[in-house]
Amino acid sequence: MDYDTKLEDLALSLFNIDAVKFGDFTTKSGIKTPVYFDLRVIVSYPEVMELISDLLYEFAVKDNKSNHLCGVPYTALPIATLLSVKAKKSMLMRRKEAKSYGTKKMVEGHYNSGDTCLIIEDVVTSGSSVLETVNDLRKEGLNADEAIIILDREQGGRKNLESNSVKMKSLFTMTKLISILVAHNKITPQVGMDVANYLQSPVTIPVIDRILLPYEKRAEMTTNLAAKQLFNIMATKKTNLCLSVDLTSATDILNLVEKVGEHICMVKTHIDIIEDFSDNFITNLKSLAQKFNFLILEDRKFADIGNTVSLQYSKGLYKVGQWADCVTVHSLPGEGILKALNASMNEINQGVFLLAEMSCEGNLITPDYTEATVKMAAKYPNLITGFVCQKKETFKDPGLIQFTPGVQLESSKDNLGQVYNTPEKVILENGADIVVVGRGIVAAKSPESQAVIYKDTLWKCYAKRVSGKIE
Ligand code: S5P
């Protein structure tokens, strides 16, 4: 059988085994579609598996020079396995979730940084699944610049992959598959037309993994002006260090900030622990912020009903709203708290860091609470600067900032439940954008030289992360 006959044969087989269906379907994201693919069923049909692997081998694997093959989990895994055996080419396996024990590797198999890897996938719509695998391979230092696909749905995937430097080749386009099925009277020309019309409709663009994007790019993607300023400060000053200046004397705080101001992007205060608070303290802190170009976050962790929070924010001894660029807020009371702050924030470049997770052990935040927090934040795009959280999976929006406390050079705990992770862990694994360090600097013999060590270490981790070459 020649290549074209085999291809026709495959199109008809996919139709016969219901891997492609026509009718009125609704996708997971709620979009109506006249055509539906489910290639997961092919594992039940060895002759179809054989046909697919023969065709892909002829089409794109036989002459390919890549060191490895990698299937996008799960449907393409068995296909990649067949191709690997046929081509005598090593296979890599990408996990969908990192193991919670042992090596935490996302990619299994033996490989070296710099090796090339060909991606195998069944169906591409927007390209986002392929990009997830590409991201993980690139983090391992692998070059993943080519993908072969069984079916291109022609809904923007090719272009999206190209803009992420991935060349895509497909056995079928949707148009080609449909024309084969019409020619063999499997579907009517009208159904063919319906599919063609459907293909004209717009598709969603996949989001690139935020942790691989540099801060200056993300500055352009944010809808909150404090986040924009922070991304720009970090990129210009080359620091993602926030100093948590948890001291109780105003003079000590100002002296410390004077020494470390050039190394930080943000100062985080707990204004209610200062014993000699005065308006003068605020004036001095603001002028240091101006001099060294950093923002001020008051870590007030508001958590009351909207009305009380508006008063706490703008009145009383501290008048937080008059000087803090950002404040931290619990989502516990629900949306009212965000409505209140949205109305109270008088400067348009102020913002809120919403607590989605906490660093201390035994805290009562659950995954559902975290998810609901992120959903709630999405309703206030101009207000939210980012999330106080611990994990990169917590949110996707590259315009928001992951603000992560609980960091010291060595992993440890204090005796009141605080848990410390290392800079490498929080930036490379957990996705932190701004890293908060308190006692790691404040309680050091020389806070100034310690701040430089933190700044350099954190920046190195960030640079490694955006280079995409995480070993
Ligand atoms: O989950 C959290 C959230 C915050 S804002 N865990 C925290 O530790 N923080 C704050 O970060 C905490 O209030 C403290 O000011 C700082 C951590 O200080 P360190 O001395 O433990 O580094």
Side-chain angles (χ1 to χ4, degrees):
M1 235 196 293
D2 67 14
Y3 180 86
D4 283 332
T5 320
K6 272 191 191 171
L7 207 57
E8 279 194 8
D9 213 27
L10 177 60
L12 299 174
S13 300
L14 290 176
F15 181 81
N16 290 338
I17 64 170
D18 272 350
V20 48
K21 288 190 247 188
F22 297 87
D24 280 328
F25 303 99
T26 307
T27 64
K28 256 190 275 167
S29 39
I31 302 163
K32 286 206 175 307
T33 161
V35 57
Y36 178 77
F37 291 92
D38 182 4
L39 267 65
R40 281 169 297 189
V41 300
I42 59 177
V43 288
S44 306
Y45 302 91
E47 62 290 350
V48 175
M49 292 294 280
E50 190 172 27
L51 197 50
I52 289 176
S53 58
D54 279 356
L55 280 164
L56 288 175
Y57 179 77
E58 283 297 314
F59 174 62
V61 178
K62 196 173 60 177
D63 298 316
N64 188 279
K65 301 274 180 298
S66 299
N67 304 103
H68 313 276
L69 287 176
C70 179
V72 176
Y74 291 106
T75 312
L77 281 183
I79 304 168
T81 314
L82 291 174
L83 286 168
S84 158
V85 173
K86 207 176 175 76
K88 306 260 179 302
K89 204 186 268 293
S90 115
M91 180 170 119
L92 299 174
M93 262 205 310
R94 174 193 162 245
R95 292 182 173 279
K96 272 201 113 150
E97 311 288 347
K99 283 193 286 185
S100 55
Y101 56 92
T103 59
K104 291 234 168 116
K105 276 180 99 175
M106 288 302 285
V107 178
E108 300 288 358
H110 283 173
Y111 57 87
N112 294 311
S113 177
D115 282 358
T116 47
C117 183
L118 175 67
I119 314 269
I120 317 285
E121 173 63 311
D122 58 338
V123 181
V124 160
T125 306
S126 67
S128 54
S129 298
V130 170
L131 281 182
E132 275 173 27
T133 295
V134 164
N135 277 337
D136 278 342
L137 293 171
R138 286 182 178 167
K139 275 185 216 160
E140 298 293 324
L142 287 152
N143 294 311
D145 304 329
E146 284 177 84
I148 49 167
I149 315 296
I150 300 175
L151 176 87
D152 173 12
R153 286 184 60 130
E154 297 171 289
Q155 290 179 287
R158 176 179 300 277
K159 211 160 145 232
N160 287 325
L161 290 177
E162 262 166 23
S163 62
N164 286 283
S165 308
V166 181
K167 249 198 293 162
M168 177 182 120
K169 283 172 104 180
S170 64
L171 279 185
F172 296 110
T173 56
M174 182 98 99
T175 312
K176 175 149 188 169
L177 182 76
I178 297 302
S179 68
I180 297 175
L181 295 177
V182 172
H184 286 81
N185 296 322
K186 295 287 179 189
I187 53 172
T188 62
Q190 182 57 50
V191 172
M193 294 277 284
D194 290 346
V195 175
N197 288 337
Y198 159 76
L199 290 180
Q200 305 301 318
S201 47
V203 279
T204 45
I205 308 290
V207 181
I208 310 165
D209 195 346
R210 72 174 158 90
I211 73 162
L212 294 175
L213 290 170
Y215 297 141
E216 51 271 39
K217 255 233 171 88
R218 290 172 64 184
E220 294 159 19
M221 303 168 97
T222 178
T223 43
N224 171 258
L225 293 176
K228 193 183 188 73
Q229 265 183 294
L230 273 169
F231 279 132
N232 284 329
I233 290 173
M234 289 195 276
T236 322
K237 287 177 76 176
K238 295 198 184 320
T239 174
N240 48 12
L241 171 62
C242 166
L243 176 68
S244 182
V245 64
D246 298 340
L247 296 168
T248 54
S249 141
T251 321
D252 288 351
I253 293 177
L254 294 172
N255 285 342
L256 178 57
V257 174
E258 175 75 61
K259 282 193 208 136
V260 305
E262 66 178 291
H263 306 301
I264 58 181
C265 63
M266 185 165 233
V267 161
K268 185 174 84 58
T269 54
H270 282 294
I271 207 67
D272 53 359
I273 65 172
I274 300 175
E275 307 221 54
D276 52 346
F277 174 84
S278 67
D279 291 345
N280 208 23
F281 167 72
I282 295 298
T283 312
N284 288 328
L285 185 62
K286 283 301 257 186
S287 68
L288 287 173
Q290 191 91 35
K291 175 172 164 191
F292 292 113
N293 191 25
F294 59 76
L295 297 194
I296 303 171
L297 167 71
E298 165 53 17
D299 191 7
R300 176 65 178 73
K301 297 194 181 71
F302 292 107
D304 214 318
I305 59 165
N307 185 58
T308 305
V309 169
S310 323
L311 295 169
Q312 289 173 322
Y313 181 70
S314 48
K315 307 281 181 190
L317 195 55
Y318 304 118
K319 301 188 176 36
V320 175
Q322 290 184 9
W323 51 269
D325 298 295
C326 297
V327 290
T328 50
V329 175
H330 279 295
S331 54
L332 181 75
E335 240 183 276
I337 198 164
L338 297 185
K339 270 193 197 140
L341 286 167
N342 213 15
S344 305
M345 290 209 158
N346 45 13
E347 299 267 346
I348 50 159
N349 50 2
Q350 288 175 307
V352 161
F353 278 99
L354 206 52
L355 276 105
E357 279 150 354
M358 289 198 76
S359 61
C360 37
E361 60 189 359
N363 73 74
L364 302 183
I365 294 179
T366 62
D368 284 350
Y369 179 96
T370 302
E371 201 186 319
T373 302
V374 173
K375 256 200 195 135
M376 187 168 122
K379 296 192 194 162
Y380 295 84
N382 297 329
L383 178 72
I384 305 296
T385 309
F387 294 101
V388 180
C389 68
Q390 297 288 325
K391 296 200 293 283
K392 71 166 183 244
E393 295 79 17
T394 302
F395 69 95
K396 285 208 164 67
D397 186 342
L400 295 173
I401 294 176
Q402 177 174 337
F403 187 81
T404 301
V407 178
Q408 288 205 353
L409 294 174
E410 305 289 335
S411 34
S412 60
K413 290 181 182 177
D414 74 5
N415 55 10
L416 294 172
Q418 174 72 304
V419 179
Y420 292 112
N421 288 309
T422 61
E424 288 77 14
K425 172 136 175 123
V426 293
I427 292 188
L428 296 175
E429 264 182 59
N430 296 358
D433 294 315
I434 294 185
V435 169
V436 185
V437 182
R439 284 163 288 176
I441 292 173
V442 175
K445 264 202 200 106
S446 163
E448 191 183 355
S449 48
Q450 198 67 0
V452 175
I453 293 173
Y454 272 98
K455 168 195 162 180
D456 290 345
T457 313
L458 294 168
W459 193 258
K460 250 188 228 149
C461 293
Y462 158 75
K464 190 169 174 180
R465 183 172 96 181
V466 291
S467 76
K469 300 236 171 349
I470 302 173
E471 279 136 40

